[in-house]
Amino acid sequence: MKINENFLKLKENYLFAEVGRKTAAYRAAHPGKEVIRLSIGDVTLPLAPAVIAAMHKAVDDMAKKETFKGYGPDATCYGYDALLDSILSSYARKGVQLGKGEVFISDGAKSDCGNILDIFSAENTVLIPDPVYPAYFDVNVMAGRNIVFAAATEENGFLPMPDESVKADIIYICSPNNPTGAAYTKTQLKAWVDYAKEQNAVILYDAAYEYFVTDESLARSIYQVEGAKEVAIELCSYSKTAGFTGVRCGYTVVPEALVRGGVSLNRLWARRQSTKFNGTSYITQMGAAAVFTEEGERQIDENINYYRNNAKIITSCLDGLGVSYTGGKNSPYIWMTCPHGMTSWEFFDYLLENANVVGTPGSGFGNNGEGFFRLTAFGTEENTREACARMTALLKN
Ligand code: MLT
């Protein structure tokens, strides 16, 4: 028996587990301190009333013989029509036409950003921005893939563009970006679509934060770019859109037009899902189906505006301190420069110990993240204000 030795190449802990471990150790050593977490992007507002009502109704359905549901429908890899239709209508409002068979319901974008690799050879080279959401890197290390990086730096506005001299088979893009908050325009994304086409590569496009986009020039979906259906798979989530971090629901779009080596990737993914997955629960799917209704969208907009206001509180605080940052607009993340030339983990410790505020060290998202620090707008307004007051007191001189 041999273990998968690729796991030995990973850091001991996943980034957010390491932040959680350090926070818990600090709390245990200082029981009287009120620690504020603006680290992992976990939501704090309850689910929208329309979602709750739909879930209650679904629970009642499960209680009656006539409406009880077992496994979801086979034909759509267990996605119910009500949810699939609502997703198609949400795409149509963004100017994107999709068919029901192109949308696969999941338990969130994180799972599928790793699961999707099942349909690709381990010999492929993967292009990952640096810094980026650490799961993309870790899942490819686990699979033993060759990884190359696209540097996201202050100079390119944290939005790397394709380099023709780099050969890639699989390309991860996250926009609006986690962790930097930077977001691609449709024109910039077109360059990535063209590059992928030339390379015969596939883009894995993470759109988990698209509901934070307000600027019309920015993409909400890669399929708003001409030709993208032939090169891109889109990963979407209800976590940040509708506060589903604890409920778990997402969807992955694999267009019919996406064919490699004469094989439909949609068919491969359907084959993989029907073997390894038994679907997202009926109650969850019914709750999610209420999100993109008129009432649901109005309610989730209110929640997203609440987080946008938190982002403004944080950026105003940083403006007052003269600390540079990106994000906070079209994104729930604020990517700040560590003050006084501190490294990311030095600043993490300094802020935790002196202000009892927890953020996420930029270096945890990649080498280019060194010297940066990520704050999230997903906290409560009260905690966000308090964290900013403490940061101001600590850093004002
Ligand atoms: C983050 O903080 O980067 C995200 O919340 C993590 C995730 O979505 O898995």
Side-chain angles (χ1 to χ4, degrees), residues 316-387:
S316 307
C317 161
L318 296 178
D319 285 338
L321 289 166
V323 172
S324 63
Y325 60 86
T326 53
K329 250 187 102 207
N330 303 297
S331 161
Y333 294 126
I334 296 95
W335 182 246
M336 61 179 278
T337 308
C338 295
H340 310 307
M342 280 186 249
T343 67
S344 303
W345 280 107
E346 278 168 1
F347 185 59
F348 174 91
D349 290 334
Y350 182 72
L351 200 61
L352 176 58
E353 282 158 26
N354 297 290
N356 304 147
V357 172
V358 187
T360 311
S363 55
F365 297 96
N367 291 340
N368 282 321
E370 184 57 278
F372 293 93
F373 198 73
R374 195 196 75 175
L375 295 170
T376 157
F378 285 120
T380 63
E381 179 177 342
E382 191 191 4
N383 277 348
T384 306
R385 286 194 187 282
E386 174 61 21

Side-chain angles (χ1 to χ4, degrees), residues 14 16 39-42 110 133-134 178 209 240 333 360 365 374:
Y14 182 60
F16 295 105
S39 44
I40 189 159
D42 197 3
K110 185 185 190 180
Y133 182 43
N178 179 8
Y209 301 95
K240 316 298 154 85
Y333 294 126
T360 311
F365 297 96
R374 195 196 75 175

